[in-house]
Amino acid sequence: MLAAGFTADGLLDLLGAPAYAALARSETVPALRATRGGGDGPLAILVRLFLLQQSVPAVHASAALPLEAALADGWLRREEAADGEDTVRAVVDVRPYGGPEGEDWFIVSDLGCAVGGAGGIGSREEGVVLGVGGASTTLAAITVRTPVASALDVGTGSGIQALHAAQHATRVTATDVNPRALEFTRLTLALSGAPEAELLAGSLFEPVGGATYDLIVSNPPFVISPGARLTYRDGGMGGDDLCRTLVQEAGARLNPGGYAQFLGNWQHVDGEDWHDRVRGWVPRGCDAWIVQRDVQDVTQYAELWLRDAGDHRSDPAAYERRYEDWLDEFEARKTKAVGFGWITLRRSEAAESSIVVEEWPHSVEQPLGEAVLAHFARQDYLRDHDDAALLEGYFQLAEEIVQEQVGAPGAEDPEHVVLRQNRGMRRATKVDTVGAGFAGVCDGSLSAGRILDAIAQLVEEDPVVLRDRTPEAIRMLVEQGFLEPLTQPSPEA
């Protein structure tokens, strides 16, 4: 595969950017057109076999890969064309995947199950193993990537999270309730040149017993559905109980200082604040950062997952019955909408846990692993510093912060001032003129208290009053990453 250029870069060169992007959406027609110009070279043959699910002449396949071994091991199957020509067709999807440092990796999944198409994967097979999709790449991008001794991938699927973890974990364990998924993970790791992982069959944490880990990741079957029809997406528990159970049980499986990072869905229930719902999932002894990225009403949610399984292409009456089943389930649980987002836990020795639950549907800059680490470091700082200590502290404005002033043309003073990040979470927050002035002069050379005293003199305000009312704003700017605490004054102090 490497010799043929069957890599992420090789595909881009062969297909061109539009066809390559379409392939990521599971649209194959542009790539089919592009490979016609690629002749019968090894790269074009591998693309037709493994990505486009086309039959190719056996004689051409033999020039692209070890044909007899691939047939014997079940990667390909032999067919006979209408004209009697000996042809072969792929049994699995093998997809080039570029690693974070430019590595040439390969993800093995079932045919047609690389997620991304508008019509979903269109599969209703119980044991299907999915390939790479938006959810799996999102989880990989938000995961903390510090070197660790042990990592656990719960519900590994085709093995993409285990593959990433193998780059910075001495020992990787991957579990799945579907034994076929473990075989696909084994192939993914082997093809990508990664160390072997410990592969265990079973649900959630049951296969690992009492073992603990420095990193736990999971892109679980989080879909809230009536029943457990599809293993790859339906958790088999009522409502959002699978995600709740996964989060609650993760705390006891983490080593001190360890991280657990999940994707999940949660119900928005009549008469209940969703913030309180997911906050209640956080286990004792853990800090948490939970970010809701999207919300869908129950009709949108049902339609999304009915289309994912291809039910919209089935008998109209059957589709309507399934749609009714979903709405009946949501009505019985008083669910009005479903949220989707990220959950990060950190095992902490602190007496009081830090739990941040927020909604942020806007664009972010991936990867966010470093931003996750920075978030918890800021929480530690704020937990350890009362208001008096904040005023004695030194801060600097984070990189790539811009200030926007909004007001009527010609007005002497702006109606409000907005600080905006261009990195990480790309947050924006309103501040008053004192807050904007404070942030603007934070370069680490003066303590927060001395800066406020200078501002008080400029605006002719009592410095004691200003010192008393400003720490809350400083705390907010630190928590959201606009200001970075310094352990000591900058050299210019």
Side-chain angles (χ1 to χ4, degrees):
M1 290 178 176
L2 294 174
F6 189 59
T7 64
D9 289 341
L11 290 183
L12 183 59
D13 290 340
L14 175 68
L15 303 178
Y20 184 80
L23 194 61
R25 302 190 299 270
S26 297
E27 295 290 349
T28 59
V29 172
L32 281 168
R33 292 172 62 89
T35 57
R36 290 176 192 150
D40 298 320
L43 177 55
I45 292 299
L46 292 174
V47 170
R48 289 179 199 146
L49 276 173
F50 291 116
L51 301 186
L52 305 182
Q53 304 165 42
Q54 300 292 302
S55 292
V56 303
V59 64
H60 295 159
S62 65
L65 77 171
L67 179 59
E68 294 306 320
L71 289 166
D73 286 347
W75 296 78
L76 305 179
R77 70 170 183 266
R78 199 178 297 273
E79 294 182 332
E80 185 175 326
D83 59 3
E85 184 179 22
D86 187 17
T87 62
V88 294
R89 181 182 288 269
V91 177
V92 293
D93 183 301
V94 182
R95 194 159 296 243
Y97 178 78
E101 303 298 327
E103 302 95 338
D104 290 318
W105 291 343
F106 301 93
I107 308 296
V108 186
S109 67
D110 275 315
L111 285 174
C113 293
V115 188
I121 69 166
S123 175
R124 292 185 291 275
E125 296 182 19
E126 174 66 17
V128 71
V129 178
L130 298 192
V132 176
S136 51
T137 55
T138 293
L139 178 59
I142 67 172
T143 299
V144 170
R145 296 299 175 195
T146 53
V148 294
S150 58
L152 171 65
D153 177 13
V154 179
T156 187
S158 58
I160 179 175
Q161 308 305 330
L163 176 57
H164 276 280
Q167 312 309 305
H168 63 102
T170 303
R171 175 174 57 88
V172 175
T173 299
T175 71
D176 206 289
V177 72
N178 180 4
R180 290 185 74 247
L182 299 177
E183 283 301 300
F184 278 91
T185 293
R186 181 180 63 82
L187 293 171
T188 288
L189 294 174
L191 270 185
S192 303
E196 292 184 6
E198 179 185 30
L199 304 175
L200 303 175
S203 179
L204 298 181
F205 295 107
E206 177 270 330
V208 303
T212 57
Y213 300 87
D214 302 311
L215 174 67
I216 300 173
V217 293
S218 183
N219 177 17
F222 53 66
V223 176
I224 300 171
S225 60
R229 188 164 59 121
L230 302 174
T231 301
Y232 70 85
R233 71 170 203 193
D234 301 324
M237 299 184 185
D240 51 19
D241 282 355
L242 182 132
C243 289
R244 175 184 56 79
T245 301
L246 180 66
V247 173
Q248 289 180 338
E249 294 185 355
R253 302 315 198 284
L254 281 175
N255 292 325
Y259 286 85
Q261 298 186 264
F262 314 116
L263 303 184
N265 276 178
W266 40 81
Q267 298 170 146
H268 285 222
V269 179
D270 276 336
E272 178 185 69
D273 188 324
W274 73 267
H275 297 79
D276 295 335
R277 184 180 190 86
V278 294
R279 186 186 300 273
W281 294 359
V282 178
R284 291 178 60 88
C286 285
D287 297 326
W289 185 21
I290 301 173
V291 182
Q292 180 168 275
R293 296 287 291 158
D294 189 24
V295 182
Q296 291 183 314
D297 67 48
V298 293
T299 59
Q300 293 173 313
Y301 189 80
E303 290 162 14
L304 169 67
W305 294 110
L306 288 168
R307 289 178 178 274
D308 172 81
D311 289 318
H312 62 303
R313 294 192 290 268
S314 63
D315 174 62
Y319 174 78
E320 291 177 7
R321 285 195 300 272
R322 289 196 183 279
Y323 202 149
E324 289 278 6
D325 289 343
W326 284 69
L327 297 185
D328 287 344
E329 176 79 4
F330 287 130
E331 184 176 345
R333 295 183 176 278
K334 299 182 179 180
T335 301
K336 58 185 179 180
V338 177
F340 168 83
W342 316 327
I343 300 172
T344 298
L345 306 178
R346 183 187 62 168
R347 189 73 186 177
S348 172
E349 302 299 323
E352 183 178 348
S353 295
S354 165
I355 302 175
V356 176
V357 182
E358 62 175 320
E359 184 168 16
W360 188 253
H362 310 293
S363 64
V364 298
E365 181 191 44
Q366 293 280 26
L368 276 173
E370 291 294 327
V372 172
L373 286 172
H375 167 87
F376 286 98
R378 293 193 298 268
Q379 295 303 312
D380 289 341
Y381 177 88
L382 293 172
R383 185 162 45 193
D384 295 340
H385 289 73
D386 60 16
D387 287 354
L390 279 182
L391 293 176
E392 293 297 320
Y394 292 78
F395 303 91
Q396 67 180 12
L397 192 65
E399 293 183 0
E400 298 196 31
I401 303 293
V402 297
Q403 177 177 305
E404 301 172 358
Q405 297 188 171
V406 179
E412 183 175 347
D413 297 313
E415 294 176 14
H416 60 262
V417 178
V418 174
L419 300 181
R420 188 178 302 277
Q421 302 168 352
N422 286 320
R423 304 294 303 273
M425 291 292 286
R426 293 176 173 164
R427 298 184 187 276
T429 188
K430 287 183 182 180
V431 292
D432 59 17
T433 52
V434 170
F438 179 86
V441 297
C442 276
D443 61 1
S445 62
L446 295 174
S447 69
R450 290 182 62 189
I451 292 174
L452 289 177
D453 291 343
I455 291 175
Q457 187 174 4
L458 285 173
V459 298
E460 299 181 349
E461 186 171 339
D462 185 341
V464 175
V465 173
L466 194 60
R467 276 175 172 254
D468 188 55
R469 69 177 175 87
T470 306
E472 182 179 354
I474 297 175
R475 196 170 291 275
M476 180 273 293
L477 291 172
V478 172
E479 181 176 18
Q480 295 192 2
F482 290 93
L483 293 179
E484 297 174 348
L486 301 178
T487 56
Q488 59 185 12
S490 67
E492 291 78 16

